[in-house]
Amino acid sequence: MGGRAIAAAGGSGGALRFVAIGDSLTEGKGDVHPDGTPRGFADLLAASLRQVHPRAVYANLARPSVRAAEVLGDQVPHAVDSRPDLVTAVAGVNDVIALRFPAAAVAVRLDEIIGGLRAGAPDATIVTATLPDLGHLSWVAARWRSRLERLNAATGAAAARHGALVVDLWNAAPLTREELALDRVHPSPLGHLRIARAFARTLDLPAPAPAYLSTAPRLAQLQRVYRTAVVAPRFVAKRMARRALIAGQPPKRPDLAEI
């Protein structure tokens, strides 16, 4: 595997530049490094990239709770200014779970995100993804299914218009309970690993194989109690205070740095 899908701009004497943009999925919510900071699929993908491009540098501009318009306004300009060779851009799920979902407007924002990246970094490899259906694991997610279908259709259409690659998580095998975090919204470490491997396949990169993951079964009953008593109320509270949460949370990894 040699990362053949990635534009070669970083291979002409300079370090290959990878920038990830998006929301808490790209930030790594549901998976953490030993120091407690988010890890997630983008960090795992960056590690795979480094195996092929040892001098690669990586920035992650993701912020929790942001919607597509905020990714467009705050992150796309920064990503373009970084002169990326590779960009991952996944957005829209916070629009899906909002009280109101203006599907047409969100589709326009997604097109502007991918189109803005393409215009500002014409030689970059841009990768986006459809989002998986979690309706079989959560009755709340089942209520969002039709919205998610429209978001995924808009994502695919934007990618086709602007020459971006699409990681199809919607039509992949359904996520298992082991691959979903306690909040029943974000992936668990195993879920992030699956997503990272899907991105790696699309980019012809080595499959991430972290040794820290365990596939031991969960203590399902205790987790249900914890989810009901702690995680669900906290998730609702964060929804109510979304703007304050965004304002208080800087980008995960705002500057390009060695992986």
Side-chain angles (χ1 to χ4, degrees):
M1 292 186 179
R4 290 187 295 273
I6 301 173
S12 58
L16 190 142
R17 296 165 174 253
F18 168 32
V19 180
I21 67 173
D23 48 42
S24 57
L25 175 63
T26 298
E27 181 196 31
K29 180 73 172 178
D31 181 24
V32 294
H33 289 285
D35 64 0
T37 58
R39 177 171 32 216
F41 83 87
D43 284 17
L44 294 170
L45 183 64
S48 289
L49 184 66
R50 187 175 183 235
Q51 294 182 48
V52 178
H53 301 276
R55 297 182 59 208
V57 290
Y58 163 51
N60 189 320
L61 309 181
R63 300 173 72 188
S65 298
V66 292
R67 296 177 184 171
E70 292 157 333
V71 173
L72 173 65
D74 299 336
Q75 297 181 33
V76 169
H78 191 166
V80 167
D81 287 345
S82 299
R83 296 181 291 113
D85 300 301
L86 169 65
V87 186
T88 59
V90 184
V93 70
N94 287 306
D95 298 273
V96 165
I97 66 177
L99 292 178
R100 179 175 170 271
F101 177 57
V106 172
V108 170
R109 299 293 86 79
L110 291 174
D111 189 78
E112 290 173 336
I113 288 170
I114 305 299
L117 292 170
R118 176 56 67 216
D123 296 322
T125 298
I126 302 169
V127 192
T128 187
T130 59
L131 297 174
D133 179 15
L134 305 180
H136 61 294
L137 297 176
S138 164
W139 68 269
V140 176
R143 295 172 62 88
W144 298 331
R145 183 177 286 124
S146 63
R147 291 184 175 190
L148 198 57
E149 287 177 321
R150 284 179 281 175
L151 177 74
N152 286 338
T155 297
R161 271 191 294 272
H162 301 292
L165 301 174
V166 180
V167 177
D168 188 4
L169 302 176
W170 175 257
N171 289 307
L175 289 180
T176 67
R177 292 188 182 277
E178 293 293 322
E179 293 171 325
L180 203 59
L182 290 172
D183 63 10
R184 282 299 184 258
V185 174
H186 297 93
S188 69
L190 285 172
H192 275 285
L193 176 60
R194 184 207 276 213
I195 294 170
R197 286 176 171 170
F199 271 83
R201 282 194 300 273
T202 298
L203 291 167
D204 193 24
L205 292 171
Y212 59 82
L213 280 177
S214 169
T215 57
R218 291 180 173 184
L219 299 176
Q221 185 174 1
L222 290 177
Q223 287 187 329
R224 281 196 296 271
V225 172
Y226 177 77
R227 189 165 57 246
T228 301
V230 178
V231 176
R234 186 180 298 165
F235 179 76
V236 171
K238 286 183 176 182
R239 292 294 94 196
M240 299 298 290
R242 190 184 73 87
R243 292 191 182 278
L245 177 65
I246 294 170
Q249 179 69 48
K252 172 181 174 175
R253 186 183 170 106
D255 300 312
L256 287 165
E258 290 186 358
I259 300 167

